[in-house]
Every structure is written in C-alpha cells, then in structure tokens.
Amino acid sequence: MNDIPQIPLLIDGRLVPSKTKEWHDVINPSTQEIVARVPIATPEEVALAISTAKAAFASWRNAAQSTRVRVMFRLQQLVREHAAELAQLISREHGKTVPDAEGEVGRCQELIEHACAVNSIQLGEYAENASSGIDVYTVVQPLGVCAGITAFNFPIMLAANMFPTAIACGNSFVLKPSEQAPSAPLLLARLALEAGLPPGVLNVIFGTADAANTLCDHPDVKAISFIGSTRVGTLIYRRASEAGKRCQSMLGAKNHCVVMPDAQADQAIEHLLGASFGAAGQRCMATTVAVFVGEASKWLPDLVEGARKMKIGASDDRTAEVGPLNSKQALERVRGLIQSGVEEGAELLLDGRDVRVAAAPKGNFVGPTILTKVSDEMRVYREEVFGPVLCVMQADTLDDAIAIVNRNPNGNGVSIYTQDGGVARKFQNEIDVGQVGLNVPIPVPVSWFSFTGSRGSKLGDLGTAGKQGVQFWTQVKTLTARWRMASAAPAALHSSINLK
C-alpha cells in the first residue's frame, strides 16, 4: 500500500506534498490497479496557490512579450521531447489507447504553438488627433490571477487550451486538473517551469467541489475557464459570474453527423466509425448521432459490420481501436443508457455491453454499440452518453435533418457528408451549431482558430483558443490623452464631455 506513489501539488515553483487527509485513488481502467493517489487539497493549500499566483503576477505582467513567448517556444520543444512519457501517463490513467494518447500530445503541442504567437494578437489600436490635439488608444492587458478546471478525458490538451495562452498574455494561473488523470497535466506544468516560468506563475492543485468553489469565490481570481459536464459547468458559471469574474464553461454535447445519399459511402462510414467509437466515445466532440437522409440508410448494415470488426483492447495495446471507459461508474452509466434506449423502443443493432478482453479481464470495456429507431424523446438521445454508443436516426430530406439537429439543445459540433456544394452551403448557413464539419468527422478547429461551441454546449461569450482565447484572458483599456507644451496658455475650463 505504501508503495503507491502520492501525487504532489505544485505551488510557488515547488512540488509540495499535501497535508490533506483525503486522497483519491487513480485507477488504471484496463486493470483496476491503483497506480497513484492524488490529494484533495486543503482550503489552506488552495488559498496558498492563489496568493502565490497573485504575488507572481506583479512581476510577470511586466515581463517583455518576447520573454513570455520564448518560454512557450521552449515548452513546446520540451513537450515534444517528453511526448512518449506524457502519452504513457495519459493512457495508463485515462484508459485511451497509446496511439490515441500520442494524438492528444500532438494536439497539446499545437495549442502551445498558438501561445507562441499571442504577441501578434495582443495588439491595441491608436488614433492620432481623434479630436483636436487628443489621441485615443487602447492597450490589451492581462487580467491577473486566472484559473482553469479541466475534465479527465483530455488531461493535457484541455490544460493546454488554457494556461499557455493565459500565461503568454501576462497572467498567472492556478490549474485544477481532474483527479482521475492527474500525472500528465502535472508533468506538463513541471515542463513549463523547466521552460523558464518563474515560480508562482503556474500552480497546480487537485480537489473536488470545495476547491472549485474556492476558485469561484476568491476575490483575487479574475477569470475561470471550465471544460466538463453540463451540470458542474453550469454551477461554476453561475457562481463565478455572481462573484464578478469572467467565466467560460464548455459543457456537454450531442454531436450529429448527417449523411446524404450522394456522399462517398466508404469515406462516410470509415469516418463515422472513428468519430463515434474512438477514445471509447469519451470526447465532447465525438459523433453520437448519425442522421441518414433518404436512401443513405442503405449503408447502415455496412456501418454495423465495420463497428463489429473494430478491435477492443487494453490501453497499452497499440493495435486496439477502442479502449476501456475511464471508471466503473462510467461503465455502469453507459450500460444503463443503452438499456434505457432498448426499453424506450430503440432497436439494438450492435450490443457492446458484454464484450470481454482476454488480456484485460477486469477492464471497463463496452464495445461499439449501435441503436436505430431512435427518437429525440429517448433518454439515450437526450443525455450525453460519453461512451462508444451511436444513435441512428432517419430523415426524408436535408431540411428534416437540419431540423433534427437544431431541435437538440446542444451545439458543440456537427458534420455533413455530401458531394454537393450547394447542399453543404445550405447546411453551414442554416445549422445552429458552433463547429461544422463538411466531409470532416470531428470538426475541432486548428489551434489558431477559436473553439466556438454554442447554445447548451457553452456558457460565456468567448470560446477557447484562437483570437477569442486571447480576448478571454485579457482586458482592453482605452486611454484618451492630450499633451500640451509647457509654454502653452492655460486651457479653458471644460464642463461637458466635448473634447474639442
């Protein structure tokens, strides 16, 4: 028992053993082995991380932009050098296959690369002689202490969505990753220190609702970014907003893929398989609903057969296409949602609930599962499953398919497969979803574009990454200036807002 490593906190540039009496077991989803214990930080430790970040901000905000960006360049290189180690940690604690984890590391690098370019975005505006002898200009300044709360499903990519940009803009940061997969984000933060971040600029704590509430309530925290479940994210957005903070919450999803009769069938089916069942469906951008329009439904048997052939395996099996779910609780929830669909009238074309993996008999496995005859009243359609479950619906026309998507309260991502440019144009104009893919299965934008989820999938005006990410972590200050020569005659008294 004592051989199980205990994860430290990262405060003021040092790895700090927590004084907590409450620990969370980090469990390998393939084997049920306890691989680490993570502390639920005490209120004093959370407060210390915030006060440390506040002290560090005083000097970091005045560091040259070039200095801050050079740290990000170095961090990007260090992530590349430690890619294998990061991927192994992600795979062991999250459960995604090693190749999938390696893809996450690559995405993390791209997000850090974007942070290397913030000095070209963090620009103000200037108007000389906006009024007689008066100049008006804006400066884009950091906010102060910022915080990020991330989910388990992308342990380092979600963190990289937040702190590199925030810190490159001149803020200090407190990161609270998920306690279910803590080791990789902690290593990422340590690499940031190795890259040259001064102590206190980036701090890492672990905790549950109490730690999140402290970040929401503390007067020294100026902005919070959250990525996770709708229930928790809504509570955080409300609490942080009521405390006067800037907040964004990226929430749950129900992502649709519309397949038109003129689509390239092989491409659409192959992409659907990966988007629906890759990472065991544990992605907020996973395709969870396929809408076949008209005669496109004739390809459904091919989709089922392709899903049936996907290899299910432990997270360390590089040949596996579907790994385990993250926890026993997730396993039972996914199984329950599948059963609810059957009880409410859906037809189970492929049932993955009883899958067994000989090399990992204790793993949290659910194989690819396909339900058809699904309606939008069913629980399996209304709720985010977060597992390898695809709901199939039929529509007579493109208009009917668009109506299905737009009726759903979520607006994270949607895709369409068609070879008709006019159909694609109509779809992108009429669909009410933040990210749209045209013959692309998972329309996550490249890192220098913003993640633009909408409606029930997002709270807050600004998205993560891209220009909106820089806008979220900064504030615009407008200055109006008049300079007179020392020998000039005294100015006349002004009692109005007229600046002439």
Side-chain angles (χ1 to χ4, degrees):
M1 190 72 69
N2 293 331
D3 293 335
I4 299 173
Q6 293 186 343
I7 304 293
L9 309 174
L10 180 62
I11 299 176
D12 200 19
R14 296 180 296 110
L15 295 175
V16 179
S18 177
K19 296 180 180 179
T20 187
K21 295 181 180 179
E22 186 179 356
W23 296 81
H24 176 86
D25 290 339
V26 182
I27 297 174
N28 183 323
S30 294
T31 66
Q32 305 310 308
E33 172 193 7
I34 299 174
V35 296
R37 284 198 169 89
V38 63
I40 305 304
T42 67
E44 294 77 14
E45 289 166 341
V46 178
L48 179 60
I50 295 171
S51 64
T52 297
K54 182 180 179 181
F57 172 69
S59 57
W60 181 246
R61 70 171 301 170
N62 293 318
Q65 283 187 333
S66 58
T67 298
R68 301 198 297 259
V69 165
R70 286 190 192 108
V71 173
M72 293 301 122
F73 273 113
R74 177 61 177 149
L75 174 58
Q76 196 273 346
Q77 177 61 34
L78 288 171
V79 169
R80 180 180 291 110
E81 293 172 2
H82 289 79
E85 182 181 2
L86 286 164
Q88 289 292 337
L89 291 173
I90 293 168
S91 180
R92 184 183 67 174
E93 296 180 355
H94 171 280
K96 64 179 65 175
T97 63
V98 174
D100 197 8
E102 290 169 344
E104 179 180 345
V105 176
R107 183 68 177 174
C108 175
Q109 291 178 30
E110 293 176 6
L111 290 162
I112 297 169
E113 286 172 357
H114 168 67
C116 296
V118 297
N119 53 1
S120 63
I121 303 174
Q122 196 178 354
L123 300 175
E125 299 173 314
Y126 191 96
E128 185 179 41
N129 285 323
S131 189
S132 179
I134 293 176
D135 302 333
V136 179
Y137 57 99
T138 62
V139 293
V140 182
Q141 297 182 333
L143 298 170
V145 179
C146 299
I149 302 172
T150 60
F152 76 90
N153 58 324
F154 286 95
I156 64 170
M157 190 189 82
L158 300 184
N161 238 325
M162 299 178 183
F163 81 77
T165 298
I167 286 173
C169 288
N171 300 287
S172 57
F173 208 88
V174 178
L175 175 67
K176 194 193 88 62
S178 168
E179 67 278 3
Q180 292 176 278
S183 297
L186 181 61
L187 175 56
L188 179 63
R190 291 170 60 190
L191 294 177
L193 293 179
E194 185 178 339
L197 275 189
V201 173
L202 175 61
N203 305 273
V204 180
I205 60 168
F206 299 99
T208 50
D210 288 343
N213 289 340
T214 298
L215 293 174
C216 290
D217 297 341
H218 201 290
D220 289 336
V221 176
K222 303 303 181 184
I224 295 178
S225 180
F226 171 88
I227 302 176
S229 72
T230 296
R231 182 186 68 83
V232 176
T234 301
L235 292 173
I236 286 175
Y237 184 83
R238 182 181 300 127
R239 187 162 185 152
S241 298
E242 288 176 351
K245 304 184 192 309
R246 183 176 296 181
C247 188
Q248 59 182 191
S249 284
M250 302 298 162
L251 309 173
K254 204 70 182 181
N255 306 313
H256 298 67
C257 178
V258 176
V259 182
M260 299 298 295
D262 70 331
Q264 293 183 354
D266 292 345
Q267 179 194 54
I269 291 169
E270 179 184 354
H271 287 185
L272 258 176
L273 293 172
S276 302
F277 307 124
Q282 297 174 118
R283 300 187 280 217
C284 68
M285 288 294 289
T287 296
T288 54
V289 183
V291 182
F292 287 91
V293 178
E295 294 184 359
S297 58
K298 66 185 178 184
W299 299 324
L300 185 53
D302 296 326
L303 177 67
V304 173
E305 187 59 26
R308 196 189 310 275
K309 292 178 179 178
M310 294 183 76
K311 182 177 179 181
I312 305 161
S315 54
D316 60 356
D317 181 355
R318 296 192 68 91
T319 65
E321 296 167 296
V322 181
L325 294 172
N326 180 253
S327 67
K328 288 293 183 186
Q329 292 82 358
L331 178 67
E332 293 308 312
R333 182 176 184 277
V334 171
R335 286 174 172 171
L337 282 168
I338 295 170
Q339 183 60 31
S340 75
V342 174
E343 293 172 356
E344 292 177 359
E347 181 180 347
L348 193 58
L349 296 185
L350 183 62
D351 188 352
R353 287 176 291 179
D354 295 325
V355 68
R356 296 290 181 269
V357 176
K362 297 181 179 180
N364 306 323
F365 294 104
V366 171
T369 298
I370 299 177
L371 292 158
T372 190
K373 298 182 181 178
V374 174
S375 67
D376 53 13
E377 296 88 10
M378 293 180 180
R379 181 180 166 217
V380 72
Y381 177 79
R382 289 185 288 106
E383 296 186 18
E384 185 175 28
V385 179
F386 231 59
V389 179
L390 179 65
C391 295
V392 175
M393 307 175 81
Q394 277 85 29
D396 293 331
T397 66
L398 174 62
D399 286 329
D400 293 336
I402 291 173
I404 289 172
V405 177
N406 286 346
R407 279 199 307 269
N408 191 281
N410 296 292
N412 230 16
V414 67
S415 296
I416 187 170
Y417 278 79
T418 181
Q419 297 185 72
D420 188 322
V423 166
R425 176 71 68 174
K426 175 182 173 67
F427 187 80
Q428 74 180 46
N429 286 341
E430 297 184 12
I431 210 71
D432 186 13
V433 175
Q435 277 93 210
V436 181
L438 308 177
N439 299 314
V440 174
I442 302 179
V444 177
V446 292
S447 61
W448 56 92
F449 278 78
S450 299
F451 190 91
T452 52
S454 62
R455 296 191 288 148
S457 294
K458 173 188 170 188
L459 292 172
D461 294 332
L462 296 171
T464 64
K467 290 183 179 179
Q468 290 187 29
V470 173
Q471 291 170 344
F472 180 79
W473 299 116
T474 58
Q475 59 186 341
V476 176
K477 186 178 292 184
T478 304
L479 296 98
T480 303
R482 170 186 280 151
W483 297 101
R484 293 186 180 275
M485 299 293 291
S487 58
L493 176 66
H494 277 276
S495 59
S496 74
I497 61 172
N498 191 329
L499 295 179
K500 293 182 180 179

